[in-house]
Amino acid sequence: SGSLFHLPPPALELSSSDEVRTLSGSMSPGLKSNPDLHPCKPGQKFRAALLRCRSPTAAAGILSFGNVLNYMDRYTVAGWLSNSSPLSPFSTVFICSFMVAAPIFGYLGDRFNRKVILSCGIFFWSIVTLSSSFIGKEYYWLFVLSRGLVGIGESSYSSISPTIIGDLFTNNSRTTMLSIFYLAIPLGSGLGYILGSSAKVAAGDWHWALRVSPVLGITAGTLILVFVPEPKRGSADQVGGRIKSRTSWFCDMKALAKNRSYVFSSLASAAVSFATGAFGMWIPLYLTRAQMVQKTAEACTKEICSSTDSLIFGAITCVTGLLGVVIGAATTRLCRQKTERADPLVCAVSMLGSAIFICLIFVVAKKSIVGAYVCIFIGETLLFLNWAITADILMFVVIPTRRATAVAFQSFTSHLLGDAGSPYLIGLISDGLQENYTTSTLWRFLSLGYALMLCPFIIVLGGMFFLVTALFFLDDREKAEKQ
């Protein structure tokens, strides 16, 4: 048998398109004499590089980049509003249009080409955002309308893009990629704060804050069209598998309503959204008032004020988002070795822990701004632990042909019960408490703190919802696998 290794390599027929090496590893003479067949031909190099760029990992990276821009654009407005009252119609109109459009894109995402819908959505909100940066104060209503149109464009991205990642990866790989994707929420939000407040101060005109993300958004949309594949729904869950039958939208909604893990995890996600929405709008102003109470800062009467608190809060949001997503993914993978209910349990524990440190913010802020920032840092890190894990729970308990609809309605629920009304509610409570003491600096600070104390109670409620999710998680996952 050893003599087989000394046999000459078999003769190989070369066609005009073959790229063949002999068994000994040397280049075939036919390839050397024909430059068109040479593997180092520039066109072949380009095609090879293009294939590498169309890999699942590269696709997940491009989708994550688009999600960063999605949230950066959303919170840019918050950055330049940070020194005034957040009780403006911008966030309300944006969130309402986002909620209305999400179920529509969920329906489309389960039935049509997803990357085309994503790209069109990105191009749409990028062009609208860029156009709105040229709207003057005399057309205030037109700017408010433009924020509503941006919400429609961004809802397409948030509803559909996680489902592509769900069809490209599975198990721990999917958890990792979804973690990177949802890292965009705190990272993009923080960058939006920094961009909005910095552009406002540097240029002396808040319009410039809306002229950066659109250019990047158009770039991201082009990359999605060229490099992101359109995987078959369910292909990652079972090799070669594909769910051929598609139920009606009414049947999909009925099945999701009966899916207890999906329902309770969506309610928990709404609790997170409630807290982050209120914090994003009010915490910088709260810390500014705390410094006024400590007499380390004075009230700003100029049109453009210093944005130090917004910058610090934005930087903290970026860092805590990174830490939260990384720690959440690592903790979940570790806990899965101990229990199959690891995903909802990790979310529940992190939310309950976050509530403790968020409560402490309002205890220490009156005496120490540094102490308040430390509590914000730990509280946000624990709160951001569950962003990607919640999406992973959805992928486990919902079949692939319903995932876009499920993501869309989870977004709808999160905004409806969460950040669509939480900033306004907190402001309403604060204004009601300080109604008779509007001139008191101390009471303006305390009234806002008392209003924000509603957030940790909502977070605890969300932790309880995750505990209930853990009770039904295994049964619902098994049902989805059987389907």
Side-chain angles (χ1 to χ4, degrees), residues 227-388:
F227 296 114
V228 174
E230 173 65 17
K232 295 179 179 179
R233 292 167 178 82
S235 58
D237 297 272
Q238 184 177 357
V239 178
R242 185 182 183 185
I243 300 175
K244 297 181 180 179
S245 61
R246 178 174 283 114
T247 56
S248 66
W249 181 84
F250 179 78
C251 291
D252 290 344
M253 293 304 301
K254 186 177 179 180
L256 291 175
K258 291 181 178 180
N259 191 324
R260 295 165 296 185
S261 296
Y262 171 75
V263 170
F264 283 108
S265 62
S266 297
L267 291 174
S269 179
V272 177
S273 182
F274 183 97
T276 55
F279 266 48
M281 286 294 181
W282 286 111
I283 279 293
L285 181 60
Y286 176 73
L287 295 176
T288 298
R289 291 182 179 181
Q291 294 176 63
M292 291 168 60
V293 170
Q294 298 172 21
K295 301 189 183 304
T296 57
E298 295 181 358
C300 178
T301 56
K302 296 181 293 183
E303 184 178 353
I304 298 178
C305 303
S306 174
S307 55
T308 304
D309 292 309
S310 289
L311 289 173
I312 296 175
F313 182 72
I316 288 177
T317 301
C318 290
V319 175
T320 55
L322 173 63
L323 288 177
V325 168
V326 172
I327 295 172
T331 304
T332 304
R333 295 182 66 162
L334 181 64
C335 292
R336 280 177 183 166
Q337 301 174 8
K338 305 293 183 181
T339 174
E340 294 183 346
R341 305 179 193 270
D343 294 62
L345 289 177
V346 169
C347 290
V349 172
S350 67
M351 287 195 72
L352 295 175
S354 174
I356 296 174
F357 286 95
I358 289 177
C359 277
L360 290 176
I361 295 172
F362 312 112
V363 176
V364 303
K366 185 179 178 180
K367 298 292 183 183
S368 172
I369 295 297
V370 175
Y373 278 129
V374 170
C375 292
I376 291 173
F377 187 92
I378 300 174
E380 282 197 339
T381 300
L382 293 172
L383 195 62
F384 291 145
L385 245 69
N386 60 67
W387 279 117

